[in-house]
Amino acid sequence: MSSTATPEKRRTALDALHRSLGATMTDFAGWDMPLRYGSERDEHLAVRTKAGLFDLSHMGEITVTGPQAAQLLNHALVGNIASVGLGRARYTMICRADGGILDDLIVYRLAETEYMVVANASNAQVVLDALTERSDGFDAVVRDDRDAYALLAVQGPESPGILKSLTDADLDGLKYYAGLPGTVAGVPALIARTGYTGEDGFELFVSPADAEKLWLALTEAGAQVGLIPCGLSCRDTLRLEAGMPLYGHELSTSLTPFDAGLGRVVKFEKDGDFVGRGALEAAAERAASQPPRVLVGLVAEGRRVPRAGYPVVADGQVIGEVTSGAPSPTLGKPIAMAYVDAAHAAPGTAGVGVDIRGSHEPYEVVALPFYKREK
């Protein structure tokens, strides 16, 4: 193979099924993933009003086991993982020694001394390498389980009913950010009540060999209530409306959790030292005395769509930068998340615009999220 050859894209266990459904495929973090099956807007609105079915098998699962698994994770991550109850999950981050965010994660406690760390596809190897390096001196084992799981998600208001028709697991007792082992359509699964859409829903971790059987069963069970397959494109607009950060956009190694407005995930009170503590204590002090740029929502007054990297302006000066932008199917207007100077971050601040190819388009500053489902 020549040195200029491009590496083969990874394919999920559902690849052939996606193609049979006519999916438009795209490269995402080295994986060939479905971008959309038909209309992005229809897929988005199905999740908001009915249900959508996603293949998320590109996410990175890393298992940490052993007598000191909790102590290792407390040292390696910014959260207090030792306080996570059996069957529960926690949103957290892994940071560099300088406080920069390497990735945001969900950690599930599967057993007394067993945890599953779920990393973003683009950072899975970075997280695996960091956890392995940080495991020195701990009686714990870090295992790469990316090939052991396929991950399906059913999201939307109809998702509990769809899943209930296929499992006898106690879904009513399953809280948000919790998981339990069960059988769905005859397939052994870890059933987690998590998601990235702003809607109620479930993520199902299964063996890749069982993925197609489960997808087809969910499709059949959801047909009567409007469930449709959904791609990564509508997943992005759904999470944007819900004000959820995306690594590489709202989060990066150049930002600490405090810069991103997510300082609440850093638990200084936990036992023991953790990687980045000193830098994060300094970042917390800076944020308290002189707030950095603040992550805000922007809603267009016109029709032009802002994109990541576009300057945010006021009085002819650049006051920030768009991190994510798209048309919002729910609001019917273009929206964006952006980091802006604290002086212009209050909802309703007048005179704020986005520089779209030299034209300063007016935008309203709003609090995040743009959309919140009714409980």
Side-chain angles (χ1 to χ4, degrees):
M1 182 185 288
S2 74
S3 59
T4 57
T6 55
E8 186 74 18
K9 281 186 285 193
R10 298 186 69 179
R11 297 186 173 191
T12 79
L14 295 165
D15 183 78
L17 193 149
H18 297 317
R19 294 171 194 277
S20 75
L21 293 171
T24 299
M25 307 297 285
T26 189
D27 181 0
F28 186 86
W31 289 82
D32 216 13
M33 297 296 294
L35 185 66
R36 71 181 75 83
Y37 298 84
S39 156
E40 293 169 14
R41 184 175 183 277
D42 288 349
E43 291 173 25
H44 181 111
L45 293 176
V47 175
R48 285 278 178 259
T49 61
K50 297 167 187 170
L53 180 58
F54 296 84
D55 179 9
L56 305 177
S57 301
H58 60 314
M59 301 294 282
E61 296 87 7
I62 302 161
T63 303
V64 181
T65 57
Q68 292 189 306
Q71 291 95 317
L72 163 58
L73 289 170
N74 262 15
H75 166 70
L77 311 180
V78 302
N80 187 355
I81 307 306
S83 68
V84 177
L86 276 173
R88 299 308 302 269
R90 183 157 298 165
Y91 176 79
T92 187
M93 294 183 182
I94 183 167
C95 290
R96 302 192 307 194
D98 66 1
I101 302 167
L102 283 172
D103 201 13
D104 61 336
L105 312 164
I106 296 179
V107 179
Y108 296 89
R109 187 174 185 183
L110 303 182
E112 190 65 36
T113 60
E114 182 179 359
Y115 297 81
M116 182 169 67
V117 178
V118 181
N120 285 297
S122 56
N123 295 326
Q125 189 64 48
V126 169
V127 174
L128 177 66
D129 291 346
L131 287 175
T132 302
E133 182 183 324
R134 295 174 189 187
S135 69
D136 278 358
F138 290 92
D139 187 3
V141 175
V142 176
R143 186 174 73 231
D144 180 1
D145 270 350
R146 284 177 287 180
D147 292 335
Y149 292 103
L151 177 56
L152 279 63
V154 55
Q155 298 277 302
E158 298 286 353
S159 58
I162 293 168
L163 208 55
K164 278 180 186 177
S165 72
L166 296 172
T167 184
D168 57 6
D170 179 17
L171 298 187
D172 289 334
L174 186 63
K175 296 182 172 67
Y176 187 52
Y177 265 70
L180 84 167
T183 302
V184 183
V187 170
L190 172 66
I191 306 167
R193 200 163 203 157
T194 48
Y196 194 52
T197 62
E199 298 299 336
D200 191 12
F202 303 87
E203 295 186 336
L204 306 170
F205 296 86
V206 300
S207 165
D210 292 328
E212 187 166 328
K213 178 183 176 183
L214 182 55
W215 179 283
L216 294 172
L218 288 163
T219 299
E220 185 178 349
Q224 296 302 310
V225 291
L227 175 139
I228 61 172
C230 293
L232 293 183
S233 185
C234 83
R235 182 169 148 92
D236 190 48
T237 53
L238 289 159
R239 71 91 195 168
L240 176 55
E241 288 183 350
M244 294 178 170
L246 175 63
Y247 197 89
H249 290 255
E250 288 73 40
L251 308 175
S252 71
T253 52
S254 64
L255 297 169
T256 72
F258 294 94
D259 296 326
L262 292 166
R264 64 182 179 277
V265 306
V266 182
K267 303 301 181 186
F268 293 120
E269 70 277 10
K270 65 180 174 175
D271 293 337
D273 196 13
F274 63 92
V275 177
R277 177 190 273 274
L280 290 168
E281 285 174 340
E285 287 182 22
R286 285 196 304 274
S289 61
Q290 184 181 3
R293 284 183 167 175
V294 179
L295 188 64
V296 302
L298 299 174
V299 177
E301 295 181 19
R303 307 305 306 172
R304 297 187 72 183
V305 179
R307 298 298 182 189
Y310 284 11
V312 182
V313 294
D315 302 320
Q317 303 294 314
V318 175
I319 58 150
E321 185 176 295
V322 170
T323 53
S324 297
S328 164
T330 304
L331 274 64
K333 299 176 179 179
I335 59 172
M337 286 199 281
Y339 283 109
V340 302
D341 294 344
H344 294 87
T349 300
V352 172
V354 175
D355 185 337
I356 301 180
R357 298 188 185 88
S359 172
H360 290 191
E361 301 290 327
Y363 275 74
E364 179 187 0
V365 179
V366 300
L368 292 169
F370 301 97
Y371 165 85
K372 199 165 190 176
R373 71 181 175 93
E374 294 180 12
K375 300 292 185 187

